[in-house]
mmCIF file with all atom_site columns, all heavy atoms in Angstrom:
data_model
loop_
_atom_site.group_PDB
_atom_site.id
_atom_site.type_symbol
_atom_site.label_atom_id
_atom_site.label_alt_id
_atom_site.label_comp_id
_atom_site.label_asym_id
_atom_site.label_entity_id
_atom_site.label_seq_id
_atom_site.pdbx_PDB_ins_code
_atom_site.Cartn_x
_atom_site.Cartn_y
_atom_site.Cartn_z
_atom_site.occupancy
_atom_site.B_iso_or_equiv
_atom_site.pdbx_formal_charge
_atom_site.auth_seq_id
_atom_site.auth_comp_id
_atom_site.auth_asym_id
_atom_site.auth_atom_id
_atom_site.pdbx_PDB_model_num
ATOM 1   N N   . VAL A 1 1  ? -10.409 7.355  1.123   1.00 98.00 ? 1  VAL A N   1
ATOM 2   C CA  . VAL A 1 1  ? -9.072  7.783  0.714   1.00 98.00 ? 1  VAL A CA  1
ATOM 3   C C   . VAL A 1 1  ? -8.792  7.287  -0.693  1.00 98.00 ? 1  VAL A C   1
ATOM 4   O O   . VAL A 1 1  ? -9.527  6.468  -1.245  1.00 98.00 ? 1  VAL A O   1
ATOM 5   C CB  . VAL A 1 1  ? -7.970  7.274  1.686   1.00 98.00 ? 1  VAL A CB  1
ATOM 6   C CG1 . VAL A 1 1  ? -8.098  7.964  3.017   1.00 98.00 ? 1  VAL A CG1 1
ATOM 7   C CG2 . VAL A 1 1  ? -8.017  5.766  1.835   1.00 98.00 ? 1  VAL A CG2 1
ATOM 8   N N   . ASP A 1 2  ? -7.706  7.771  -1.270  1.00 97.00 ? 2  ASP A N   1
ATOM 9   C CA  . ASP A 1 2  ? -7.393  7.454  -2.658  1.00 97.00 ? 2  ASP A CA  1
ATOM 10  C C   . ASP A 1 2  ? -6.194  6.527  -2.771  1.00 97.00 ? 2  ASP A C   1
ATOM 11  O O   . ASP A 1 2  ? -5.450  6.302  -1.809  1.00 97.00 ? 2  ASP A O   1
ATOM 12  C CB  . ASP A 1 2  ? -7.138  8.740  -3.457  1.00 97.00 ? 2  ASP A CB  1
ATOM 13  C CG  . ASP A 1 2  ? -5.966  9.543  -2.886  1.00 97.00 ? 2  ASP A CG  1
ATOM 14  O OD1 . ASP A 1 2  ? -4.811  9.279  -3.261  1.00 97.00 ? 2  ASP A OD1 1
ATOM 15  O OD2 . ASP A 1 2  ? -6.231  10.421 -2.043  1.00 97.00 ? 2  ASP A OD2 1
ATOM 16  N N   . ALA A 1 3  ? -5.997  6.014  -3.958  1.00 98.00 ? 3  ALA A N   1
ATOM 17  C CA  . ALA A 1 3  ? -4.953  5.025  -4.224  1.00 98.00 ? 3  ALA A CA  1
ATOM 18  C C   . ALA A 1 3  ? -3.556  5.597  -4.046  1.00 98.00 ? 3  ALA A C   1
ATOM 19  O O   . ALA A 1 3  ? -2.642  4.904  -3.600  1.00 98.00 ? 3  ALA A O   1
ATOM 20  C CB  . ALA A 1 3  ? -5.116  4.468  -5.639  1.00 98.00 ? 3  ALA A CB  1
ATOM 21  N N   . GLU A 1 4  ? -3.340  6.863  -4.404  1.00 98.00 ? 4  GLU A N   1
ATOM 22  C CA  . GLU A 1 4  ? -2.013  7.463  -4.276  1.00 98.00 ? 4  GLU A CA  1
ATOM 23  C C   . GLU A 1 4  ? -1.563  7.444  -2.817  1.00 98.00 ? 4  GLU A C   1
ATOM 24  O O   . GLU A 1 4  ? -0.399  7.134  -2.520  1.00 98.00 ? 4  GLU A O   1
ATOM 25  C CB  . GLU A 1 4  ? -2.004  8.888  -4.800  1.00 98.00 ? 4  GLU A CB  1
ATOM 26  C CG  . GLU A 1 4  ? -0.612  9.525  -4.740  1.00 98.00 ? 4  GLU A CG  1
ATOM 27  C CD  . GLU A 1 4  ? -0.599  10.978 -5.180  1.00 98.00 ? 4  GLU A CD  1
ATOM 28  O OE1 . GLU A 1 4  ? -1.672  11.628 -5.125  1.00 98.00 ? 4  GLU A OE1 1
ATOM 29  O OE2 . GLU A 1 4  ? 0.485   11.472 -5.577  1.00 98.00 ? 4  GLU A OE2 1
ATOM 30  N N   . LEU A 1 5  ? -2.481  7.782  -1.898  1.00 97.00 ? 5  LEU A N   1
ATOM 31  C CA  . LEU A 1 5  ? -2.150  7.796  -0.477  1.00 97.00 ? 5  LEU A CA  1
ATOM 32  C C   . LEU A 1 5  ? -1.823  6.376  0.001   1.00 97.00 ? 5  LEU A C   1
ATOM 33  O O   . LEU A 1 5  ? -0.819  6.169  0.690   1.00 97.00 ? 5  LEU A O   1
ATOM 34  C CB  . LEU A 1 5  ? -3.324  8.372  0.320   1.00 97.00 ? 5  LEU A CB  1
ATOM 35  C CG  . LEU A 1 5  ? -3.020  8.942  1.709   1.00 97.00 ? 5  LEU A CG  1
ATOM 36  C CD1 . LEU A 1 5  ? -2.026  10.077 1.637   1.00 97.00 ? 5  LEU A CD1 1
ATOM 37  C CD2 . LEU A 1 5  ? -4.308  9.412  2.378   1.00 97.00 ? 5  LEU A CD2 1
ATOM 38  N N   . CYS A 1 6  ? -2.639  5.401  -0.374  1.00 98.00 ? 6  CYS A N   1
ATOM 39  C CA  . CYS A 1 6  ? -2.401  4.017  0.043   1.00 98.00 ? 6  CYS A CA  1
ATOM 40  C C   . CYS A 1 6  ? -1.079  3.490  -0.506  1.00 98.00 ? 6  CYS A C   1
ATOM 41  O O   . CYS A 1 6  ? -0.286  2.873  0.218   1.00 98.00 ? 6  CYS A O   1
ATOM 42  C CB  . CYS A 1 6  ? -3.550  3.119  -0.422  1.00 98.00 ? 6  CYS A CB  1
ATOM 43  S SG  . CYS A 1 6  ? -5.144  3.471  0.368   1.00 98.00 ? 6  CYS A SG  1
ATOM 44  N N   . ALA A 1 7  ? -0.840  3.720  -1.784  1.00 98.00 ? 7  ALA A N   1
ATOM 45  C CA  . ALA A 1 7  ? 0.382   3.220  -2.414  1.00 98.00 ? 7  ALA A CA  1
ATOM 46  C C   . ALA A 1 7  ? 1.621   3.865  -1.800  1.00 98.00 ? 7  ALA A C   1
ATOM 47  O O   . ALA A 1 7  ? 2.636   3.195  -1.560  1.00 98.00 ? 7  ALA A O   1
ATOM 48  C CB  . ALA A 1 7  ? 0.338   3.482  -3.917  1.00 98.00 ? 7  ALA A CB  1
ATOM 49  N N   . THR A 1 8  ? 1.551   5.166  -1.545  1.00 97.00 ? 8  THR A N   1
ATOM 50  C CA  . THR A 1 8  ? 2.678   5.878  -0.942  1.00 97.00 ? 8  THR A CA  1
ATOM 51  C C   . THR A 1 8  ? 3.014   5.302  0.431   1.00 97.00 ? 8  THR A C   1
ATOM 52  O O   . THR A 1 8  ? 4.182   5.098  0.764   1.00 97.00 ? 8  THR A O   1
ATOM 53  C CB  . THR A 1 8  ? 2.355   7.374  -0.822  1.00 97.00 ? 8  THR A CB  1
ATOM 54  O OG1 . THR A 1 8  ? 2.152   7.915  -2.135  1.00 97.00 ? 8  THR A OG1 1
ATOM 55  C CG2 . THR A 1 8  ? 3.483   8.127  -0.126  1.00 97.00 ? 8  THR A CG2 1
ATOM 56  N N   . ASP A 1 9  ? 1.985   5.033  1.215   1.00 96.00 ? 9  ASP A N   1
ATOM 57  C CA  . ASP A 1 9  ? 2.210   4.520  2.567   1.00 96.00 ? 9  ASP A CA  1
ATOM 58  C C   . ASP A 1 9  ? 2.710   3.081  2.563   1.00 96.00 ? 9  ASP A C   1
ATOM 59  O O   . ASP A 1 9  ? 3.511   2.695  3.416   1.00 96.00 ? 9  ASP A O   1
ATOM 60  C CB  . ASP A 1 9  ? 0.927   4.643  3.391   1.00 96.00 ? 9  ASP A CB  1
ATOM 61  C CG  . ASP A 1 9  ? 0.610   6.101  3.738   1.00 96.00 ? 9  ASP A CG  1
ATOM 62  O OD1 . ASP A 1 9  ? 1.532   6.944  3.656   1.00 96.00 ? 9  ASP A OD1 1
ATOM 63  O OD2 . ASP A 1 9  ? -0.546  6.401  4.076   1.00 96.00 ? 9  ASP A OD2 1
ATOM 64  N N   . LEU A 1 10 ? 2.275   2.287  1.628   1.00 97.00 ? 10 LEU A N   1
ATOM 65  C CA  . LEU A 1 10 ? 2.758   0.910  1.525   1.00 97.00 ? 10 LEU A CA  1
ATOM 66  C C   . LEU A 1 10 ? 4.228   0.876  1.107   1.00 97.00 ? 10 LEU A C   1
ATOM 67  O O   . LEU A 1 10 ? 5.049   0.194  1.719   1.00 97.00 ? 10 LEU A O   1
ATOM 68  C CB  . LEU A 1 10 ? 1.900   0.117  0.540   1.00 97.00 ? 10 LEU A CB  1
ATOM 69  C CG  . LEU A 1 10 ? 0.469   -0.194 1.002   1.00 97.00 ? 10 LEU A CG  1
ATOM 70  C CD1 . LEU A 1 10 ? -0.393  -0.651 -0.171  1.00 97.00 ? 10 LEU A CD1 1
ATOM 71  C CD2 . LEU A 1 10 ? 0.462   -1.248 2.099   1.00 97.00 ? 10 LEU A CD2 1
ATOM 72  N N   . LEU A 1 11 ? 4.569   1.634  0.068   1.00 97.00 ? 11 LEU A N   1
ATOM 73  C CA  . LEU A 1 11 ? 5.948   1.630  -0.415  1.00 97.00 ? 11 LEU A CA  1
ATOM 74  C C   . LEU A 1 11 ? 6.891   2.343  0.550   1.00 97.00 ? 11 LEU A C   1
ATOM 75  O O   . LEU A 1 11 ? 8.086   2.026  0.603   1.00 97.00 ? 11 LEU A O   1
ATOM 76  C CB  . LEU A 1 11 ? 6.022   2.284  -1.798  1.00 97.00 ? 11 LEU A CB  1
ATOM 77  C CG  . LEU A 1 11 ? 5.330   1.518  -2.926  1.00 97.00 ? 11 LEU A CG  1
ATOM 78  C CD1 . LEU A 1 11 ? 5.467   2.285  -4.240  1.00 97.00 ? 11 LEU A CD1 1
ATOM 79  C CD2 . LEU A 1 11 ? 5.907   0.115  -3.073  1.00 97.00 ? 11 LEU A CD2 1
ATOM 80  N N   . GLY A 1 12 ? 6.355   3.294  1.321   1.00 94.00 ? 12 GLY A N   1
ATOM 81  C CA  . GLY A 1 12 ? 7.180   4.000  2.289   1.00 94.00 ? 12 GLY A CA  1
ATOM 82  C C   . GLY A 1 12 ? 7.811   3.081  3.314   1.00 94.00 ? 12 GLY A C   1
ATOM 83  O O   . GLY A 1 12 ? 8.890   3.361  3.845   1.00 94.00 ? 12 GLY A O   1
ATOM 84  N N   . GLN A 1 13 ? 7.164   1.967  3.600   1.00 93.00 ? 13 GLN A N   1
ATOM 85  C CA  . GLN A 1 13 ? 7.731   0.983  4.522   1.00 93.00 ? 13 GLN A CA  1
ATOM 86  C C   . GLN A 1 13 ? 8.391   -0.179 3.795   1.00 93.00 ? 13 GLN A C   1
ATOM 87  O O   . GLN A 1 13 ? 9.331   -0.794 4.316   1.00 93.00 ? 13 GLN A O   1
ATOM 88  C CB  . GLN A 1 13 ? 6.640   0.464  5.458   1.00 93.00 ? 13 GLN A CB  1
ATOM 89  C CG  . GLN A 1 13 ? 6.055   1.541  6.376   1.00 93.00 ? 13 GLN A CG  1
ATOM 90  C CD  . GLN A 1 13 ? 7.101   2.180  7.265   1.00 93.00 ? 13 GLN A CD  1
ATOM 91  O OE1 . GLN A 1 13 ? 7.775   1.501  8.041   1.00 93.00 ? 13 GLN A OE1 1
ATOM 92  N NE2 . GLN A 1 13 ? 7.269   3.492  7.167   1.00 93.00 ? 13 GLN A NE2 1
ATOM 93  N N   . ALA A 1 14 ? 7.948   -0.476 2.592   1.00 94.00 ? 14 ALA A N   1
ATOM 94  C CA  . ALA A 1 14 ? 8.556   -1.560 1.814   1.00 94.00 ? 14 ALA A CA  1
ATOM 95  C C   . ALA A 1 14 ? 10.008  -1.267 1.476   1.00 94.00 ? 14 ALA A C   1
ATOM 96  O O   . ALA A 1 14 ? 10.793  -2.190 1.233   1.00 94.00 ? 14 ALA A O   1
ATOM 97  C CB  . ALA A 1 14 ? 7.757   -1.802 0.530   1.00 94.00 ? 14 ALA A CB  1
ATOM 98  N N   . GLU A 1 15 ? 10.403  0.020  1.484   1.00 92.00 ? 15 GLU A N   1
ATOM 99  C CA  . GLU A 1 15 ? 11.781  0.357  1.150   1.00 92.00 ? 15 GLU A CA  1
ATOM 100 C C   . GLU A 1 15 ? 12.769  -0.013 2.246   1.00 92.00 ? 15 GLU A C   1
ATOM 101 O O   . GLU A 1 15 ? 13.986  0.054  2.043   1.00 92.00 ? 15 GLU A O   1
ATOM 102 C CB  . GLU A 1 15 ? 11.899  1.851  0.830   1.00 92.00 ? 15 GLU A CB  1
ATOM 103 C CG  . GLU A 1 15 ? 11.838  2.766  2.044   1.00 92.00 ? 15 GLU A CG  1
ATOM 104 C CD  . GLU A 1 15 ? 12.024  4.233  1.696   1.00 92.00 ? 15 GLU A CD  1
ATOM 105 O OE1 . GLU A 1 15 ? 12.164  4.564  0.523   1.00 92.00 ? 15 GLU A OE1 1
ATOM 106 O OE2 . GLU A 1 15 ? 11.982  5.088  2.626   1.00 92.00 ? 15 GLU A OE2 1
ATOM 107 N N   . HIS A 1 16 ? 12.276  -0.426 3.423   1.00 88.00 ? 16 HIS A N   1
ATOM 108 C CA  . HIS A 1 16 ? 13.157  -0.807 4.518   1.00 88.00 ? 16 HIS A CA  1
ATOM 109 C C   . HIS A 1 16 ? 14.122  -1.918 4.128   1.00 88.00 ? 16 HIS A C   1
ATOM 110 O O   . HIS A 1 16 ? 15.289  -1.904 4.498   1.00 88.00 ? 16 HIS A O   1
ATOM 111 C CB  . HIS A 1 16 ? 12.334  -1.268 5.728   1.00 88.00 ? 16 HIS A CB  1
ATOM 112 C CG  . HIS A 1 16 ? 12.185  -0.209 6.775   1.00 88.00 ? 16 HIS A CG  1
ATOM 113 N ND1 . HIS A 1 16 ? 13.196  0.144  7.624   1.00 88.00 ? 16 HIS A ND1 1
ATOM 114 C CD2 . HIS A 1 16 ? 11.127  0.554  7.115   1.00 88.00 ? 16 HIS A CD2 1
ATOM 115 C CE1 . HIS A 1 16 ? 12.771  1.097  8.441   1.00 88.00 ? 16 HIS A CE1 1
ATOM 116 N NE2 . HIS A 1 16 ? 11.533  1.371  8.158   1.00 88.00 ? 16 HIS A NE2 1
ATOM 117 N N   . GLY A 1 17 ? 13.599  -2.913 3.433   1.00 85.00 ? 17 GLY A N   1
ATOM 118 C CA  . GLY A 1 17 ? 14.435  -4.060 3.082   1.00 85.00 ? 17 GLY A CA  1
ATOM 119 C C   . GLY A 1 17 ? 13.728  -4.970 2.105   1.00 85.00 ? 17 GLY A C   1
ATOM 120 O O   . GLY A 1 17 ? 12.563  -4.762 1.766   1.00 85.00 ? 17 GLY A O   1
ATOM 121 N N   . TYR A 1 18 ? 14.442  -5.998 1.654   1.00 89.00 ? 18 TYR A N   1
ATOM 122 C CA  . TYR A 1 18 ? 13.871  -6.903 0.658   1.00 89.00 ? 18 TYR A CA  1
ATOM 123 C C   . TYR A 1 18 ? 12.827  -7.849 1.230   1.00 89.00 ? 18 TYR A C   1
ATOM 124 O O   . TYR A 1 18 ? 12.175  -8.584 0.487   1.00 89.00 ? 18 TYR A O   1
ATOM 125 C CB  . TYR A 1 18 ? 14.994  -7.724 0.005   1.00 89.00 ? 18 TYR A CB  1
ATOM 126 C CG  . TYR A 1 18 ? 16.040  -6.892 -0.684  1.00 89.00 ? 18 TYR A CG  1
ATOM 127 C CD1 . TYR A 1 18 ? 17.350  -6.885 -0.237  1.00 89.00 ? 18 TYR A CD1 1
ATOM 128 C CD2 . TYR A 1 18 ? 15.708  -6.107 -1.777  1.00 89.00 ? 18 TYR A CD2 1
ATOM 129 C CE1 . TYR A 1 18 ? 18.320  -6.114 -0.874  1.00 89.00 ? 18 TYR A CE1 1
ATOM 130 C CE2 . TYR A 1 18 ? 16.668  -5.329 -2.421  1.00 89.00 ? 18 TYR A CE2 1
ATOM 131 C CZ  . TYR A 1 18 ? 17.965  -5.334 -1.958  1.00 89.00 ? 18 TYR A CZ  1
ATOM 132 O OH  . TYR A 1 18 ? 18.917  -4.565 -2.590  1.00 89.00 ? 18 TYR A OH  1
ATOM 133 N N   . ASP A 1 19 ? 12.685  -7.842 2.563   1.00 88.00 ? 19 ASP A N   1
ATOM 134 C CA  . ASP A 1 19 ? 11.764  -8.773 3.207   1.00 88.00 ? 19 ASP A CA  1
ATOM 135 C C   . ASP A 1 19 ? 10.787  -8.055 4.120   1.00 88.00 ? 19 ASP A C   1
ATOM 136 O O   . ASP A 1 19 ? 10.484  -8.508 5.217   1.00 88.00 ? 19 ASP A O   1
ATOM 137 C CB  . ASP A 1 19 ? 12.547  -9.822 4.009   1.00 88.00 ? 19 ASP A CB  1
ATOM 138 C CG  . ASP A 1 19 ? 13.543  -9.202 4.984   1.00 88.00 ? 19 ASP A CG  1
ATOM 139 O OD1 . ASP A 1 19 ? 13.669  -7.955 5.008   1.00 88.00 ? 19 ASP A OD1 1
ATOM 140 O OD2 . ASP A 1 19 ? 14.195  -9.972 5.721   1.00 88.00 ? 19 ASP A OD2 1
ATOM 141 N N   . SER A 1 20 ? 10.287  -6.903 3.668   1.00 92.00 ? 20 SER A N   1
ATOM 142 C CA  . SER A 1 20 ? 9.387   -6.082 4.478   1.00 92.00 ? 20 SER A CA  1
ATOM 143 C C   . SER A 1 20 ? 7.955   -6.194 3.960   1.00 92.00 ? 20 SER A C   1
ATOM 144 O O   . SER A 1 20 ? 7.600   -5.529 2.974   1.00 92.00 ? 20 SER A O   1
ATOM 145 C CB  . SER A 1 20 ? 9.832   -4.616 4.464   1.00 92.00 ? 20 SER A CB  1
ATOM 146 O OG  . SER A 1 20 ? 11.133  -4.477 5.018   1.00 92.00 ? 20 SER A OG  1
ATOM 147 N N   . PRO A 1 21 ? 7.103   -7.000 4.593   1.00 94.00 ? 21 PRO A N   1
ATOM 148 C CA  . PRO A 1 21 ? 5.729   -7.162 4.114   1.00 94.00 ? 21 PRO A CA  1
ATOM 149 C C   . PRO A 1 21 ? 4.929   -5.855 4.167   1.00 94.00 ? 21 PRO A C   1
ATOM 150 O O   . PRO A 1 21 ? 4.997   -5.110 5.142   1.00 94.00 ? 21 PRO A O   1
ATOM 151 C CB  . PRO A 1 21 ? 5.133   -8.189 5.086   1.00 94.00 ? 21 PRO A CB  1
ATOM 152 C CG  . PRO A 1 21 ? 6.304   -8.898 5.671   1.00 94.00 ? 21 PRO A CG  1
ATOM 153 C CD  . PRO A 1 21 ? 7.391   -7.865 5.755   1.00 94.00 ? 21 PRO A CD  1
ATOM 154 N N   . ALA A 1 22 ? 4.177   -5.597 3.114   1.00 96.00 ? 22 ALA A N   1
ATOM 155 C CA  . ALA A 1 22 ? 3.264   -4.455 3.054   1.00 96.00 ? 22 ALA A CA  1
ATOM 156 C C   . ALA A 1 22 ? 1.919   -4.976 2.554   1.00 96.00 ? 22 ALA A C   1
ATOM 157 O O   . ALA A 1 22 ? 1.841   -5.626 1.511   1.00 96.00 ? 22 ALA A O   1
ATOM 158 C CB  . ALA A 1 22 ? 3.806   -3.372 2.121   1.00 96.00 ? 22 ALA A CB  1
ATOM 159 N N   . VAL A 1 23 ? 0.852   -4.691 3.291   1.00 98.00 ? 23 VAL A N   1
ATOM 160 C CA  . VAL A 1 23 ? -0.449  -5.303 3.032   1.00 98.00 ? 23 VAL A CA  1
ATOM 161 C C   . VAL A 1 23 ? -1.532  -4.232 2.990   1.00 98.00 ? 23 VAL A C   1
ATOM 162 O O   . VAL A 1 23 ? -1.618  -3.395 3.893   1.00 98.00 ? 23 VAL A O   1
ATOM 163 C CB  . VAL A 1 23 ? -0.804  -6.333 4.133   1.00 98.00 ? 23 VAL A CB  1
ATOM 164 C CG1 . VAL A 1 23 ? -2.162  -6.973 3.846   1.00 98.00 ? 23 VAL A CG1 1
ATOM 165 C CG2 . VAL A 1 23 ? 0.284   -7.399 4.245   1.00 98.00 ? 23 VAL A CG2 1
ATOM 166 N N   . LEU A 1 24 ? -2.346  -4.270 1.969   1.00 98.00 ? 24 LEU A N   1
ATOM 167 C CA  . LEU A 1 24 ? -3.549  -3.441 1.893   1.00 98.00 ? 24 LEU A CA  1
ATOM 168 C C   . LEU A 1 24 ? -4.762  -4.307 2.187   1.00 98.00 ? 24 LEU A C   1
ATOM 169 O O   . LEU A 1 24 ? -4.961  -5.340 1.564   1.00 98.00 ? 24 LEU A O   1
ATOM 170 C CB  . LEU A 1 24 ? -3.696  -2.809 0.506   1.00 98.00 ? 24 LEU A CB  1
ATOM 171 C CG  . LEU A 1 24 ? -5.019  -2.055 0.254   1.00 98.00 ? 24 LEU A CG  1
ATOM 172 C CD1 . LEU A 1 24 ? -5.140  -0.817 1.142   1.00 98.00 ? 24 LEU A CD1 1
ATOM 173 C CD2 . LEU A 1 24 ? -5.160  -1.661 -1.224  1.00 98.00 ? 24 LEU A CD2 1
ATOM 174 N N   . VAL A 1 25 ? -5.569  -3.874 3.163   1.00 98.00 ? 25 VAL A N   1
ATOM 175 C CA  . VAL A 1 25 ? -6.840  -4.523 3.478   1.00 98.00 ? 25 VAL A CA  1
ATOM 176 C C   . VAL A 1 25 ? -7.950  -3.520 3.195   1.00 98.00 ? 25 VAL A C   1
ATOM 177 O O   . VAL A 1 25 ? -7.978  -2.436 3.773   1.00 98.00 ? 25 VAL A O   1
ATOM 178 C CB  . VAL A 1 25 ? -6.896  -4.983 4.951   1.00 98.00 ? 25 VAL A CB  1
ATOM 179 C CG1 . VAL A 1 25 ? -8.240  -5.640 5.253   1.00 98.00 ? 25 VAL A CG1 1
ATOM 180 C CG2 . VAL A 1 25 ? -5.753  -5.946 5.261   1.00 98.00 ? 25 VAL A CG2 1
ATOM 181 N N   . THR A 1 26 ? -8.855  -3.870 2.312   1.00 98.00 ? 26 THR A N   1
ATOM 182 C CA  . THR A 1 26 ? -9.891  -2.932 1.912   1.00 98.00 ? 26 THR A CA  1
ATOM 183 C C   . THR A 1 26 ? -11.189 -3.641 1.578   1.00 98.00 ? 26 THR A C   1
ATOM 184 O O   . THR A 1 26 ? -11.196 -4.843 1.297   1.00 98.00 ? 26 THR A O   1
ATOM 185 C CB  . THR A 1 26 ? -9.429  -2.092 0.703   1.00 98.00 ? 26 THR A CB  1
ATOM 186 O OG1 . THR A 1 26 ? -10.430 -1.119 0.375   1.00 98.00 ? 26 THR A OG1 1
ATOM 187 C CG2 . THR A 1 26 ? -9.154  -2.985 -0.512  1.00 98.00 ? 26 THR A CG2 1
ATOM 188 N N   . ASN A 1 27 ? -12.285 -2.900 1.611   1.00 97.00 ? 27 ASN A N   1
ATOM 189 C CA  . ASN A 1 27 ? -13.586 -3.415 1.173   1.00 97.00 ? 27 ASN A CA  1
ATOM 190 C C   . ASN A 1 27 ? -13.996 -2.803 -0.162  1.00 97.00 ? 27 ASN A C   1
ATOM 191 O O   . ASN A 1 27 ? -15.154 -2.924 -0.573  1.00 97.00 ? 27 ASN A O   1
ATOM 192 C CB  . ASN A 1 27 ? -14.660 -3.157 2.239   1.00 97.00 ? 27 ASN A CB  1
ATOM 193 C CG  . ASN A 1 27 ? -14.802 -1.678 2.593   1.00 97.00 ? 27 ASN A CG  1
ATOM 194 O OD1 . ASN A 1 27 ? -14.074 -0.821 2.084   1.00 97.00 ? 27 ASN A OD1 1
ATOM 195 N ND2 . ASN A 1 27 ? -15.751 -1.372 3.467   1.00 97.00 ? 27 ASN A ND2 1
ATOM 196 N N   . SER A 1 28 ? -13.040 -2.173 -0.818  1.00 97.00 ? 28 SER A N   1
ATOM 197 C CA  . SER A 1 28 ? -13.321 -1.521 -2.094  1.00 97.00 ? 28 SER A CA  1
ATOM 198 C C   . SER A 1 28 ? -12.464 -2.138 -3.197  1.00 97.00 ? 28 SER A C   1
ATOM 199 O O   . SER A 1 28 ? -11.242 -1.981 -3.204  1.00 97.00 ? 28 SER A O   1
ATOM 200 C CB  . SER A 1 28 ? -13.030 -0.014 -2.002  1.00 97.00 ? 28 SER A CB  1
ATOM 201 O OG  . SER A 1 28 ? -13.013 0.572  -3.287  1.00 97.00 ? 28 SER A OG  1
ATOM 202 N N   . GLN A 1 29 ? -13.111 -2.799 -4.142  1.00 96.00 ? 29 GLN A N   1
ATOM 203 C CA  . GLN A 1 29 ? -12.360 -3.366 -5.260  1.00 96.00 ? 29 GLN A CA  1
ATOM 204 C C   . GLN A 1 29 ? -11.734 -2.258 -6.097  1.00 96.00 ? 29 GLN A C   1
ATOM 205 O O   . GLN A 1 29 ? -10.608 -2.403 -6.590  1.00 96.00 ? 29 GLN A O   1
ATOM 206 C CB  . GLN A 1 29 ? -13.259 -4.243 -6.133  1.00 96.00 ? 29 GLN A CB  1
ATOM 207 C CG  . GLN A 1 29 ? -12.504 -4.889 -7.298  1.00 96.00 ? 29 GLN A CG  1
ATOM 208 C CD  . GLN A 1 29 ? -13.047 -6.220 -7.732  1.00 96.00 ? 29 GLN A CD  1
ATOM 209 O OE1 . GLN A 1 29 ? -13.975 -6.765 -7.136  1.00 96.00 ? 29 GLN A OE1 1
ATOM 210 N NE2 . GLN A 1 29 ? -12.445 -6.793 -8.772  1.00 96.00 ? 29 GLN A NE2 1
ATOM 211 N N   . LYS A 1 30 ? -12.457 -1.161 -6.242  1.00 97.00 ? 30 LYS A N   1
ATOM 212 C CA  . LYS A 1 30 ? -11.943 -0.028 -7.002  1.00 97.00 ? 30 LYS A CA  1
ATOM 213 C C   . LYS A 1 30 ? -10.638 0.481  -6.385  1.00 97.00 ? 30 LYS A C   1
ATOM 214 O O   . LYS A 1 30 ? -9.635  0.670  -7.085  1.00 97.00 ? 30 LYS A O   1
ATOM 215 C CB  . LYS A 1 30 ? -12.986 1.093  -7.043  1.00 97.00 ? 30 LYS A CB  1
ATOM 216 C CG  . LYS A 1 30 ? -12.549 2.363  -7.775  1.00 97.00 ? 30 LYS A CG  1
ATOM 217 C CD  . LYS A 1 30 ? -13.724 3.354  -7.851  1.00 97.00 ? 30 LYS A CD  1
ATOM 218 C CE  . LYS A 1 30 ? -13.343 4.645  -8.572  1.00 97.00 ? 30 LYS A CE  1
ATOM 219 N NZ  . LYS A 1 30 ? -12.414 5.467  -7.794  1.00 97.00 ? 30 LYS A NZ  1
ATOM 220 N N   . LEU A 1 31 ? -10.626 0.684  -5.072  1.00 98.00 ? 31 LEU A N   1
ATOM 221 C CA  . LEU A 1 31 ? -9.422  1.173  -4.397  1.00 98.00 ? 31 LEU A CA  1
ATOM 222 C C   . LEU A 1 31 ? -8.286  0.154  -4.501  1.00 98.00 ? 31 LEU A C   1
ATOM 223 O O   . LEU A 1 31 ? -7.130  0.518  -4.713  1.00 98.00 ? 31 LEU A O   1
ATOM 224 C CB  . LEU A 1 31 ? -9.715  1.483  -2.930  1.00 98.00 ? 31 LEU A CB  1
ATOM 225 C CG  . LEU A 1 31 ? -8.527  1.998  -2.109  1.00 98.00 ? 31 LEU A CG  1
ATOM 226 C CD1 . LEU A 1 31 ? -8.061  3.353  -2.619  1.00 98.00 ? 31 LEU A CD1 1
ATOM 227 C CD2 . LEU A 1 31 ? -8.903  2.086  -0.623  1.00 98.00 ? 31 LEU A CD2 1
ATOM 228 N N   . ALA A 1 32 ? -8.621  -1.112 -4.378  1.00 97.00 ? 32 ALA A N   1
ATOM 229 C CA  . ALA A 1 32 ? -7.607  -2.166 -4.460  1.00 97.00 ? 32 ALA A CA  1
ATOM 230 C C   . ALA A 1 32 ? -6.928  -2.160 -5.816  1.00 97.00 ? 32 ALA A C   1
ATOM 231 O O   . ALA A 1 32 ? -5.683  -2.177 -5.909  1.00 97.00 ? 32 ALA A O   1
ATOM 232 C CB  . ALA A 1 32 ? -8.240  -3.523 -4.189  1.00 97.00 ? 32 ALA A CB  1
ATOM 233 N N   . GLU A 1 33 ? -7.710  -2.127 -6.873  1.00 97.00 ? 33 GLU A N   1
ATOM 234 C CA  . GLU A 1 33 ? -7.151  -2.169 -8.221  1.00 97.00 ? 33 GLU A CA  1
ATOM 235 C C   . GLU A 1 33 ? -6.365  -0.897 -8.535  1.00 97.00 ? 33 GLU A C   1
ATOM 236 O O   . GLU A 1 33 ? -5.291  -0.946 -9.141  1.00 97.00 ? 33 GLU A O   1
ATOM 237 C CB  . GLU A 1 33 ? -8.269  -2.393 -9.238  1.00 97.00 ? 33 GLU A CB  1
ATOM 238 C CG  . GLU A 1 33 ? -8.898  -3.793 -9.127  1.00 97.00 ? 33 GLU A CG  1
ATOM 239 C CD  . GLU A 1 33 ? -10.112 -3.966 -10.006 1.00 97.00 ? 33 GLU A CD  1
ATOM 240 O OE1 . GLU A 1 33 ? -10.587 -2.945 -10.576 1.00 97.00 ? 33 GLU A OE1 1
ATOM 241 O OE2 . GLU A 1 33 ? -10.602 -5.117 -10.151 1.00 97.00 ? 33 GLU A OE2 1
#
């Protein structure tokens, strides 16, 4: 998968509140960056 999809899904839940943890776990440094 690509970074746009990961970022969209992380922020989609982070908007819930100021204390909503969002975590990416990956084995790809390229995707992480």
Side-chain angles (χ1 to χ4, degrees):
V1 292
D2 60 87
E4 183 184 22
L5 202 60
C6 294
T8 298
D9 289 341
L10 290 165
L11 293 179
Q13 296 301 302
E15 75 177 2
H16 260 285
Y18 301 116
D19 53 357
S20 299
V23 180
L24 173 66
V25 179
T26 183
N27 57 358
S28 167
Q29 182 150 356
K30 178 175 180 290
L31 180 65
E33 292 173 351

